[in-house]
């Protein structure tokens, strides 16, 4: 619009007032468009952004894990849901998963659908996340970096291996992994020691 005004009036003509008026009209249109966008904002997106995020560590105890299909389901679902942790098969079967709370509980729901002699959640530990940003602790290899994005934040607070680590049927290896991660109390729930 400004180019056509300059061409019609010619160079050297005082057109400042007309340019100011055009600018004012454009700003009014821009502000009106902004109000329209606010009215059409996605409430689901806003709810997702305002959601309090937690990392959960859930210990699942089962009478046994022997079936190859169940073992495959455990690793496949944990990978799909971006969960880390440790697990053992045999008698008893114990699975400790770590990740976003909603993903960890979705994992529980998925494996509960399989046929089990007995399967129960015996323990859970939750940590709140700062979903805006996370600055690594002193001594962290990424010191000074600012991490953004929920995946980066979850990874920065993980204490268990990622991806899910299979300990075979070795209870002592599972106990050692939990102890090294500072999860002794969570591990004790597998033996009903609350």
């Amino acid at each position: 619009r400004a180019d056509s005004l300059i061409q019609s009036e010619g160079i050297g003509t005082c057109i400042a007032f007309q340019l100011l008026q055009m600018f004012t009209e454009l700003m009014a249109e821009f502000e009106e468009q902004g109000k329209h966008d606010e009215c059409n904002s996605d409430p689901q997106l806003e709810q997702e952004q305002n959601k309090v995020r937690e990392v959960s560590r859930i210990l699942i105890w089962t009478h046994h894990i022997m079936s190859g299909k169940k073992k495959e389901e455990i690793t496949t679902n944990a990978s799909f849901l971006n969960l880390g942790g440790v697990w053992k098969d045999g008698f008893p079967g114990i699975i400790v998963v770590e990740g976003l709370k909603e993903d960890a509980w979705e994992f529980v729901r998925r494996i509960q659908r399989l046929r089990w002699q007995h399967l129960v959640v015996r323990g859970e530990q939750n940590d709140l996340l700062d979903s805006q940003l996370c600055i690594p602790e002193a001594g962290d290899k990424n010191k000074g970096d600012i991490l953004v994005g929920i995946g980066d934040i979850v990874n920065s607070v993980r204490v268990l291996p990622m991806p899910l680590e299979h300990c075979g049927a070795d209870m002592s290896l599972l106990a050692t992994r939990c102890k090294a991660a500072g999860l002794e109390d969570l591990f004790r729930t597998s033996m009903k020691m609350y």
Side-chain angles (χ1 to χ4, degrees), residues 114-165:
L114 304 172
R115 287 180 54 115
W116 298 94
Q117 184 170 341
H118 186 67
L119 181 133
V120 64
V121 171
R122 288 231 174 125
E124 179 180 15
Q125 181 187 71
N126 297 305
D127 292 326
L128 287 175
L129 290 178
D130 178 357
S131 61
Q132 299 304 310
L133 58 89
C134 177
I135 300 173
E137 301 277 333
D140 189 319
K141 66 182 178 192
N142 297 322
K143 186 176 181 192
D145 294 345
I146 294 180
L147 306 176
V148 294
I150 198 70
D152 289 334
I153 296 169
V154 170
N155 289 336
S156 75
V157 298
R158 283 190 193 278
V159 295
L160 291 170
M162 179 68 184
L164 190 67
E165 179 184 321

Side-chain angles (χ1 to χ4, degrees), residues 68-174:
K69 178 173 175 23
K70 287 180 183 173
K71 293 175 186 179
E72 184 180 327
E73 286 289 323
I74 289 166
T75 55
T76 301
N77 281 302
S79 176
F80 180 77
L81 294 167
N82 197 32
L83 299 174
V86 291
W87 69 287
K88 71 169 280 310
D89 56 21
F91 297 90
I94 297 176
I95 309 164
V96 184
V97 291
E98 174 183 52
L100 283 175
K101 185 174 186 170
E102 56 268 22
D103 294 337
W105 281 103
E106 177 61 24
F107 175 83
V108 172
R109 282 187 288 281
R110 288 179 181 203
I111 65 166
Q112 279 177 333
R113 292 182 192 138
L114 304 172
R115 287 180 54 115
W116 298 94
Q117 184 170 341
H118 186 67
L119 181 133
V120 64
V121 171
R122 288 231 174 125
E124 179 180 15
Q125 181 187 71
N126 297 305
D127 292 326
L128 287 175
L129 290 178
D130 178 357
S131 61
Q132 299 304 310
L133 58 89
C134 177
I135 300 173
E137 301 277 333
D140 189 319
K141 66 182 178 192
N142 297 322
K143 186 176 181 192
D145 294 345
I146 294 180
L147 306 176
V148 294
I150 198 70
D152 289 334
I153 296 169
V154 170
N155 289 336
S156 75
V157 298
R158 283 190 193 278
V159 295
L160 291 170
M162 179 68 184
L164 190 67
E165 179 184 321
H166 183 211
C167 297
D170 191 347
M171 179 71 87
S172 64
L173 180 57
L174 182 83

Side-chain angles (χ1 to χ4, degrees), residues 13 28 57-58 78 113:
T13 307
R57 294 169 195 95
I58 297 176
R113 292 182 192 138

Side-chain angles (χ1 to χ4, degrees), residues 44-54 100-103 128-132 150:
Q44 247 184 337
L45 180 61
E46 283 182 29
Q47 184 180 11
E48 185 68 23
Q49 290 171 341
N50 295 330
K51 183 190 277 187
V52 174
R53 296 292 186 136
E54 292 180 81
L100 283 175
K101 185 174 186 170
E102 56 268 22
D103 294 337
L128 287 175
L129 290 178
D130 178 357
S131 61
Q132 299 304 310
I150 198 70

